[in-house]
Amino acid sequence: MKDLVKNPIGIVALFISLIYSIANLLLGATAKSLTPDERFPIVIFIVLFPVVILGVFYLLVSRHHGKLYAPGDYKDDKSFLRTLSQEERERKLEKEAEEALPTPAVTEATAAPTSPEAQPASAQRMTDIRNELRVIESLVISKFESELNQRAERDVGIGDTGVSFDALFQTNGKLTFLEIKSIRHPGAVSMLLDRVLYNAVVADRFMNSNFKLILAVVYHFDKEELPRVESAWRRRIEKCPAAIEIKFIPRAELDV
């Protein structure tokens, strides 16, 4: 009994057991004295209660499993990985869509002045970029699943650090994370890469160095521009204490 109240799962299980036991005890003790109309609600409750509880537990486990455990349930909370909620996925995708847009300097140099009539088109463009990012992430993850011959866990967060990655592969106890970035212009580097490196350092410390990150960069520009971009990215990654492997993938290659 003492162990049951140490975490949310135990409390819920105890609560359910008490309710169901009381209902059965009530029916057994009063079955002969109750009229059929009085017994009917109790019987319906006893029959439907487990079905309802099964449905509720399914929703909790599939969507909010991270809230069902107490900190004491983990011998080392640094090993706790969780699947991102739908809201977290959408926020992450929104941020990545903003990062994928050309920088203001690039926009001013290459685009005509924006008219008021063009504002709705900007919102549509963000929607198109988000949809494109979903496709790219799915294609890249599938590509690495084939290369590593292993199914990935998608949209993985690390504890309560706020750090998350697009996919996770576990091989011989080694945790290899995959983060996918899409760049449309060779100048779009600084802030995007800073966030990736910061997340890698936090995750590496949180996982006690049992961590490796594969950074897959999907580029949309001409291949002739790649050497300059690749050199800049690799120089900065080499200074990062976390284990990071970077791979550049042309967008056209994913459609093959």
Side-chain angles (χ1 to χ4, degrees):
M1 181 72 69
K2 182 179 179 181
D3 292 336
L4 285 177
V5 298
K6 288 184 177 180
N7 59 45
I9 290 181
I11 294 173
V12 171
L14 181 61
F15 180 69
I16 293 171
S17 299
L18 287 174
I19 292 177
Y20 201 63
S21 298
I22 291 172
N24 280 278
L25 182 62
L26 176 63
L27 180 63
T30 62
K32 295 181 180 180
S33 60
L34 294 175
T35 65
D37 289 340
E38 292 172 333
R39 286 196 299 267
F40 183 74
I42 301 177
V43 172
I44 292 298
F45 174 80
I46 292 174
V47 172
L48 294 182
F49 186 68
V51 178
V52 174
I53 292 301
L54 178 62
V56 171
F57 259 95
Y58 171 78
L59 292 175
L60 287 174
V61 172
S62 62
R63 299 185 182 182
H64 304 284
H65 63 275
K67 300 177 182 178
L68 295 177
Y69 304 95
D73 292 333
Y74 304 97
K75 293 181 180 179
D76 182 3
D77 59 3
K78 296 182 179 181
S79 66
F80 179 54
L81 302 175
R82 62 184 182 86
T83 302
L84 298 183
S85 67
Q86 186 61 36
E87 293 78 9
E88 289 174 314
R89 294 175 191 172
E90 290 300 322
R91 286 198 300 269
K92 186 172 188 282
L93 188 64
E94 183 73 22
K95 184 177 293 185
E96 290 179 347
E98 293 173 357
E99 291 174 341
L101 285 171
T103 60
V106 172
T107 303
E108 292 173 4
T110 59
T114 303
S115 63
E117 293 79 6
Q119 294 303 322
S122 177
Q124 181 59 46
R125 187 181 184 191
M126 283 293 293
T127 300
D128 293 340
I129 290 176
R130 284 197 298 269
N131 293 336
E132 169 74 357
L133 288 174
R134 287 191 181 97
V135 172
I136 288 174
E137 288 179 3
S138 181
L139 291 172
V140 172
I141 292 174
S142 297
K143 173 183 172 67
F144 278 91
E145 285 179 331
S146 299
E147 291 181 1
L148 300 175
N149 193 27
Q150 182 184 350
R151 191 163 183 82
E153 298 177 40
R154 303 192 179 201
D155 299 307
V156 177
I158 300 180
D160 59 354
T161 62
V163 173
S164 62
F165 299 100
D166 294 316
L168 166 65
F169 298 91
Q170 300 189 51
T171 307
N172 299 324
K174 185 71 175 179
L175 302 177
T176 300
F177 294 85
L178 174 65
E179 181 68 5
I180 302 157
K181 294 298 179 186
S182 174
I183 55 176
R184 297 173 175 271
H185 189 276
V189 176
S190 182
M191 294 297 294
L192 186 153
L193 184 55
D194 285 343
R195 189 161 64 86
V196 172
L197 296 180
Y198 172 79
N199 287 348
V201 171
V202 172
D204 184 61
R205 293 176 179 174
F206 198 77
M207 306 299 293
N208 289 325
S209 297
N210 181 27
F211 171 86
K212 177 184 177 181
L213 175 64
I214 298 176
L215 175 58
V217 181
V218 179
Y219 62 93
H220 298 249
F221 46 83
D222 293 337
K223 197 170 184 177
E224 290 72 18
E225 299 275 3
L226 180 60
R228 176 171 61 86
V229 177
E230 185 173 3
S231 175
W233 282 60
R234 290 191 184 281
R235 281 200 305 271
R236 296 180 61 181
I237 287 174
E238 287 172 359
K239 300 177 182 179
C240 181
I244 302 177
E245 177 183 351
I246 186 169
K247 294 188 177 183
F248 288 87
I249 305 171
R251 175 64 181 92
E253 180 181 300
L254 297 175
D255 293 327
V256 177

